[in-house]
Each structure stands twice: as structure tokens, then as C-alpha cells.
Amino acid sequence: MSYFRYIDNGEGPTKLFIGGVHGDEGKDVLPLIKLLSNEDFSNGQIYIYNFDKTPYVSTIHREFYESEQGKKILDLIDYHKPDFYTELHSYNIKHFNRLTSLERLDKDGIPPLIDCSQYVLCSSVSPLIRRKHFTKENICQTLEFPSFRGEDLKLSDDELFEKYDYDYDASVHEYMSFLRLITLSRNRDDFEKRVLKDYKKQADLALKYVKIIYGLDFPRY
């Protein structure tokens, strides 16, 4: 699962992509990362890391950033100083309703993840690092891909579709579509235009949530 890729596309924004942030997510997102070709990236410097399995600690808890893995990621952020920072996660599809519920705001003090369709979720990054390690001009995104654990692993594709109305290829298409919005964007304005064109509903929700967490003067991404 360990993987690194550097693309030198000349002058332009620096983009940092992190897969395998915690737990065994790296095995789910690496096949998706490998779908990206050099033509999927704008000009700029691109760094892609995917990590091996590490102990799972949620990024909404300070303990993650005090762990070896968390410190490694913060070091990469501080070293590369990316204009675009993207975390590539996966999650247990059983938790879809919990992760997208407003109860997450009341219970954990962070906004729900936003449904992009086909069980693909998006959000900003953890508030624990958004203010401290990035400027307002930086684009910070989290993308979550649905995965299966426990009893669901024993189900056939037909059974998964019946239980969750889930189509793997459709989820891959949705995940890659949003990811390419990031990889192709030349700057913040370009990214916002692309998102508002293809994900207006999600963008409006992101604005609502960011006002709750950061106030009126903070960008939604």
C-alpha cells in the first residue's frame, strides 16, 4: 500500500494528496489514486503519498496529531506548504447515516460529512489543522470512499446492491469526478467555479457548516 508519486508540471500551485491517513484505508484508495494520469493535473507541483496500515485514531481527536502517523502528515504539510491539500479516506458504509447526520455537530463539534452521491462523502479537513496549518486561500478537502467490513464482506455484488443500493463502479466514477475537480483546478477561483457548477448543493451545505465552525469570514473549502 505504501506509494509515492511526484509530478513536476512546472509553475503553478503545490498540491499534496494523502491516502492511508489512518487504519487500513490505504488499501481502499490506492487503486483510485492509480487511476489518475498526468493529464488529470493542472500545472504545478504534485505530491501524492499513500501510507501502509497504521493504528486507527480519528483525525477529529488531538491524539491523532500526537501520534507518529499524525506527526508525519503534519511534517509533510509544513514542508510542502500546499495550496491544495486533500485527504483520501475510506469509511465503513454502515456508518453512512451517522457520518452525514447533524448529530455529529452536536456530539463531536464538527460538521457532518456531505453526501456527493453514490456513498462518496466530502468535507473540509479536521478543524484541528485547518486554521493552524493552512491559510484562508488554501483549498482543503477530505474525500471518503465507501468500503465494506465485517459481515458485508461476505455479500455478493447483487446482495450489496440489494442491501445498500450500492454500485462500486458508480462510486468510483463519483469519487474520481470530485477528485479531478481538485487535480485539474488552477487556483481557488477555478476550483470554486468547478464545484459550484457540478456540486452546487454540496457547496451550499459546506458554506452553512463553515459559518457554524469558523464564522462568516472563513472560506467553505
Side-chain angles (χ1 to χ4, degrees), residues 163-196:
K163 182 175 181 178
Y164 294 105
D165 191 18
Y166 174 77
D167 183 317
Y168 176 82
D169 290 338
S171 289
V172 169
H173 177 78
E174 190 61 54
Y175 192 91
M176 298 307 298
S177 293
F178 198 105
L179 183 54
R180 287 189 174 101
L181 289 183
I182 302 169
T183 61
L184 289 169
S185 294
R186 300 182 298 275
N187 50 46
R188 168 174 276 278
D189 287 344
D190 186 28
F191 175 75
E192 289 191 350
K193 288 176 183 176
R194 293 173 185 268
V195 171
L196 289 171

Side-chain angles (χ1 to χ4, degrees), residues 33-44:
I33 291 172
K34 290 184 175 181
L35 292 176
L36 292 168
S37 67
N38 284 14
E39 290 71 31
D40 287 319
F41 292 93
S42 66
N43 289 348

Side-chain angles (χ1 to χ4, degrees), residues 12 29 41 55 70 73-74 83 89 111 117 123 130 150 152 170 173 178 180 185 196 198 207 215:
V29 301
F41 292 93
I73 290 173
L74 291 181
D83 301 288
H89 292 261
S117 84
S123 72
R130 181 63 180 94
D152 286 333
H173 177 78
F178 198 105
R180 287 189 174 101
S185 294
L196 289 171
D198 295 336
L207 179 59

Side-chain angles (χ1 to χ4, degrees), residues 101 127 201 221:
S101 170
K201 177 182 175 182
Y221 313 112

